[in-house]
Amino acid sequence: MKNNEIRNKLIEKGLKVTPQRMAILEAIIKLNNHPTAENIIDYIRKNHPNISTATVYKVLDALAEKGLIKKVKTEKDVMRYDAFLEKHHHLYASDSDRIEDYLDDELNEILEKHFEKKCIPGFKIEDLKLQIIGKFTDKNAPK
Amino acid sequence: MKNNEIRNKLIEKGLKVTPQRMAILEAIIKLNNHPTAENIIDYIRKNHPNISTATVYKVLDALAEKGLIKKVKTEKDVMRYDAFLEKHHHLYASDSDRIEDYLDDELNEILEKHFEKKCIPGFKIEDLKLQIIGKFTDKNAPK
DNA sequence: CTTTCTTATGAGAATGATTCTCCTTTAATA
DNA sequence: TATTAAAGGAGAATCATTCTCATAAGAAAG
Ligand SMILES: [Mn+2]
Ligand SMILES: [Mn+2]
Ligand SMILES: [Zn+2]
Ligand SMILES: [Zn+2]
């Protein structure tokens, strides 16, 4: 992803362009396995040694707020971030911190159809997230 | 739920019976909307004013470990606990902390069938949790 | 019922991811 | 280039949870 594409994403969303924001958004895109704030900070500090953790958290919130990234909850007390914006679910390793994207349009359709038919009284659905928990049998590090 | 039923649950799982454990397990069952540790502590302290927060967290972990309760993750940095042990999913309010149980055997079947047909290469599924996010349209407090 | 042994509890300190405060710097705009 | 609102930096604060370690109390045996 070129610098200018990242810059434009920020501008499109009305976010002031700063080196910190550029670096953070670029980092999440590069570190493509749902990095933590710490992962992002480590990566960025190579080229940008003085960035503050507070800034990173503030920028991450701003990017998530504007829909440029998504937050991914985990079993542990650590937030993870996702630059992949299409509707998708996640595979969670039960024996490690690995999280992988799971795309399945057929599943989305099935779910949508199911809840069209079977409304939930007193509840208006806005989003469905399927957490698929299990074990990765290929021991490859996440790409 | 009678005292003796609670006592027997502990004994069945090989947990030493203590007043603290009795009180905590009873509290989660009574406070039936996915209480936090704090909710549980507040409830218990009425009759058991000296219980320590550390004890509560340790007992909650022990009960979850033995399968007498389940932990429920939320969007916020607070764990919630569930005494309802049948397989079920959860309705999460997007505008409050309310969480309600959602039972749907048809959904479970559909999901099971889907993933039987459509295996995920390199991954062995152990559990599926559907997070249903939306708005409660009846403003009733959780029962 | 008492001893013994093991495990649980209580009080308070520590942890650690995240947020806050407050002052300084900077991007955008004219 | 000057103006101004917004963003960044440093470090303290927060707060749910965990840890430490001294004390208490179940359970099993005698
Ligand atoms: Mn924590
Ligand atoms: Mn925390
Ligand atoms: Zn993802
Ligand atoms: Zn539940």
Side-chain angles (χ1 to χ4, degrees), chain A residues 121-142:
Chain A
F123 194 79
K124 172 96 181 310
I125 297 177
E126 294 169 350
D127 196 15
L128 295 170
K129 292 184 196 168
L130 185 66
Q131 298 185 277
I132 305 167
I133 298 122
K135 288 207 169 60
F136 289 96
T137 51
D138 79 76
K139 291 302 178 208
N140 294 341

Side-chain angles (χ1 to χ4, degrees), chain B residues 2-140:
Chain B
K2 297 183 190 57
N3 257 13
N4 247 306
E5 296 181 60
I6 290 173
R7 175 183 309 272
N8 287 334
K9 282 176 190 286
L10 293 172
I11 292 170
E12 271 172 38
K13 297 294 182 179
L15 290 171
K16 202 185 269 189
V17 175
T18 68
Q20 292 85 350
R21 285 174 173 172
M22 298 279 292
I24 290 165
L25 185 45
E26 193 190 356
I28 301 173
I29 293 166
K30 280 254 172 63
L31 295 171
N32 58 0
N33 249 115
H34 308 91
T36 63
E38 200 193 359
N39 297 150
I40 293 164
I41 290 168
D42 290 346
Y43 179 86
I44 290 178
R45 288 231 169 109
K46 291 178 204 158
N47 296 311
H48 207 300
N50 293 318
I51 197 165
S52 162
T53 58
T55 299
V56 173
Y57 281 104
K58 277 182 285 198
V59 168
L60 288 170
D61 275 355
L63 297 176
E65 181 73 25
K66 297 294 186 180
L68 288 173
I69 63 173
K70 291 192 288 189
K71 294 184 173 193
V72 180
K73 265 284 156 193
T74 66
E75 286 306 299
K76 305 210 306 196
D77 188 18
V78 194
M79 186 68 70
R80 301 187 46 178
Y81 299 89
D82 196 343
F84 182 54
L85 298 175
E86 288 171 50
K87 176 159 185 54
H88 68 286
H89 303 278
H90 287 116
L91 307 178
Y92 291 80
S94 58
D95 56 359
S96 77
D97 292 335
R98 187 169 170 189
I99 298 174
E100 296 278 351
D101 292 324
Y102 179 71
L103 277 104
D104 186 340
D105 287 333
E106 197 183 331
L107 171 66
N108 292 335
E109 257 182 61
I110 286 172
L111 288 173
E112 198 180 317
K113 199 168 291 173
H114 177 75
F115 286 108
E116 246 168 53
K117 195 176 52 172
K118 187 167 210 143
C119 293
I120 303 172
F123 194 79
K124 172 92 182 312
I125 298 177
E126 295 168 350
D127 196 15
L128 295 171
K129 291 184 196 169
L130 185 65
Q131 297 184 277
I132 305 166
I133 299 120
K135 287 207 170 59
F136 288 96
T137 51
D138 79 77
K139 293 300 179 206
N140 292 342

Side-chain angles (χ1 to χ4, degrees), chain A residues 34 72 82 84 88 90 101:
Chain A
H34 308 91
V72 180
D82 197 344
F84 182 54
H88 68 286
H90 286 116
D101 292 324

Side-chain angles (χ1 to χ4, degrees), chain A residues 22 32 40-41 62 67 70 85 99 108 112 117 137:
Chain A
M22 297 279 291
N32 58 359
I40 293 163
I41 290 167
K70 290 193 288 190
L85 298 175
I99 299 173
N108 292 336
E112 199 179 315
K117 194 176 50 171
T137 51

Side-chain angles (χ1 to χ4, degrees), chain A residues 54-95:
Chain A
T55 299
V56 173
Y57 281 103
K58 278 181 285 195
V59 168
L60 288 170
D61 275 355
L63 296 177
E65 181 73 25
K66 296 296 186 179
L68 289 173
I69 64 175
K70 290 193 288 190
K71 295 185 172 193
V72 180
K73 265 283 156 190
T74 67
E75 285 306 297
K76 305 210 307 196
D77 187 18
V78 194
M79 186 66 72
R80 299 183 55 173
Y81 299 88
D82 197 344
F84 182 54
L85 298 175
E86 287 172 50
K87 175 158 184 55
H88 68 286
H89 303 279
H90 286 116
L91 308 177
Y92 291 80
S94 58
D95 55 359

